[in-house]
Amino acid sequence: MISNKCKYAIKALTYIARNDDGTKAVMTSDIAQEQDIPRKFLEIILRDLRNNRILESKRGKDGGFRLLRPAEDISLTEIMRIIDGPIAMLPCVSLNYYRSCDDCDEKECEVKGVFEQVRDRTLEVLNGKTIKSLTLD
Amino acid sequence: MISNKCKYAIKALTYIARNDDGTKAVMTSDIAQEQDIPRKFLEIILRDLRNNRILESKRGKDGGFRLLRPAEDISLTEIMRIIDGPIAMLPCVSLNYYRSCDDCDEKECEVKGVFEQVRDRTLEVLNGKTIKSLTLD
DNA sequence: TAATAATCCTATCTATTTGATAGTATTTAT
DNA sequence: ATAAATACTATCAAATAGATAGGATTATTA
């Protein structure tokens, strides 16, 4: 399962992508209201995305958030990794968050192969999806 | 990520499948030792699997556990659902643990479609894997 | 039939993660 | 100056993960 936080992040980003008309940044409070996300929680999420160079922010009056890159260059995998961490089902098959298993020898691990396949299938779908393509669905 | 508990369950089942020679049941303590799983934790897992009709148990001396069905009839998905619950990444796309989302309208949800695809790809892999096929890998 | 060896059951515990809220500081437009 | 926005720090409650402890029950066998 992905976390609520991650789902909020995706919804917030698609909202920003749809509502940035080029004149002014998109405000936290608008996103929170329209997408039904707790405001203070959303602040944390947006700051996270900013710190990871997905968003840029502007403070003060008429402040808000903008995508730092075109929506078609932001993949779902990138967002999910920032917010939730690994996508793989086992640490030892994670591409971005690899950790060895304490309790088994990877060379003869029975389950590793299966979960590598799951990972690859999952990434085939998720890598192909961007904030842009989500807004078109 | 799948839980440690679930990984333990899979390893325990493959161990039982490999070591049941038809004469006597496989003991918790043997599994725990060979597969490096905390004994008391493993007890809980095996009882769970028994309650869900994956294993049968025999008490007392020479007691232990056996697969209730042939290893080729026990899929990974079944085990994962018993131990960890839903396999899907969103409650609203889960086949076995469906729950509606509080915060969005499913008809126009942007992410639902993607995670249905992920679910289907994942199940393609996991449904094809059984305790039997894992022991052959 | 007593001893032994196994599962069964209930309760408990600690650490981490999840999902959030509160309050204040800082920045910016007017 | 003032209003309105983000930035930051701290805190909190509930759920989940990952176990551990101790005794009850059942079955074998010497």
Side-chain angles (χ1 to χ4, degrees):
Chain A
M1 289 273 166
I2 65 171
S3 65
N4 259 342
K5 189 176 176 184
C6 189
K7 195 177 160 195
Y8 291 160
I10 296 167
K11 287 172 67 176
L13 287 171
T14 57
Y15 182 87
I16 293 171
R18 269 199 314 275
N19 289 277
D20 183 356
D21 57 5
T23 63
K24 57 175 191 163
V26 182
M27 289 192 304
T28 306
S29 54
D30 287 345
I31 306 171
Q33 190 158 31
E34 292 299 315
Q35 298 281 26
D36 204 12
I37 302 171
R39 191 186 184 292
K40 284 303 235 177
F41 195 22
L42 181 57
E43 277 187 22
I44 296 172
I45 294 167
L46 295 175
R47 192 149 53 83
D48 252 22
L49 293 171
R50 197 209 62 156
N51 290 339
N52 284 278
R53 310 199 51 74
I54 302 296
L55 294 173
E56 61 181 349
S57 64
K58 193 185 164 203
R59 294 170 78 158
K61 201 173 182 186
D62 290 336
F65 294 88
R66 280 222 168 84
L67 300 184
L68 196 53
R69 288 180 266 143
E72 57 264 33
D73 293 349
I74 305 172
S75 70
L76 259 196
T77 47
E78 194 175 1
I79 306 308
M80 290 172 64
R81 283 177 177 135
I82 289 170
I83 304 294
D84 277 350
I87 290 168
M89 284 187 163
L90 285 178
C92 67
V93 304
S94 171
L95 297 177
N96 286 256
Y97 293 86
Y98 171 84
R99 274 187 303 115
S100 73
C101 299
D102 304 324
D103 59 318
C104 63
D105 176 2
E106 278 186 41
K107 298 232 173 76
E108 53 187 47
C109 177
E110 297 153 330
V111 292
K112 197 178 173 196
V114 188
F115 288 109
E116 281 171 348
Q117 287 180 46
V118 171
R119 178 201 63 198
D120 291 339
R121 296 295 192 162
T122 301
L123 289 180
E124 276 169 29
V125 176
L126 292 179
N127 278 330
K129 291 289 175 179
T130 65
I131 296 304
K132 174 85 173 182
S133 69
L134 281 185
T135 66
L136 301 178
D137 271 353
Chain B
M1 289 273 167
I2 66 170
S3 65
N4 259 342
K5 189 176 177 185
C6 189
K7 196 176 160 196
Y8 291 159
I10 296 167
K11 287 172 67 174
L13 287 171
T14 57
Y15 182 87
I16 293 171
R18 269 199 314 276
N19 289 278
D20 183 357
D21 57 4
T23 64
K24 58 176 189 161
V26 183
M27 288 192 306
T28 307
S29 55
D30 287 345
I31 305 171
Q33 191 158 30
E34 293 299 314
Q35 299 281 27
D36 204 12
I37 302 171
R39 191 185 184 292
K40 284 304 234 176
F41 195 23
L42 181 57
E43 278 188 21
I44 296 172
I45 294 167
L46 295 176
R47 193 149 53 82
D48 253 22
L49 293 172
R50 196 208 62 155
N51 290 339
N52 284 278
R53 309 199 52 76
I54 302 297
L55 294 173
E56 62 181 348
S57 64
K58 191 186 164 201
R59 295 170 79 159
K61 201 173 182 187
D62 289 337
F65 293 88
R66 282 223 167 84
L67 300 184
L68 195 52
R69 288 179 266 144
E72 58 265 34
D73 292 350
I74 305 173
S75 70
L76 259 196
T77 45
E78 194 176 0
I79 307 308
M80 292 172 64
R81 283 176 177 135
I82 288 170
I83 304 293
D84 278 350
I87 290 168
M89 284 186 162
L90 285 178
C92 68
V93 303
S94 171
L95 297 176
N96 287 256
Y97 293 85
Y98 171 84
R99 275 187 305 112
S100 72
C101 301
D102 303 325
D103 59 318
C104 63
D105 176 2
E106 278 185 41
K107 298 232 172 76
E108 53 187 46
C109 176
E110 297 153 329
V111 292
K112 197 178 173 196
V114 188
F115 288 109
E116 280 171 347
Q117 286 178 48
V118 171
R119 178 200 63 198
D120 291 340
R121 297 293 192 164
T122 301
L123 290 180
E124 275 169 28
V125 177
L126 292 179
N127 278 330
K129 291 289 176 180
T130 66
I131 296 304
K132 174 86 173 184
S133 68
L134 283 185
T135 67
L136 303 178
D137 270 352

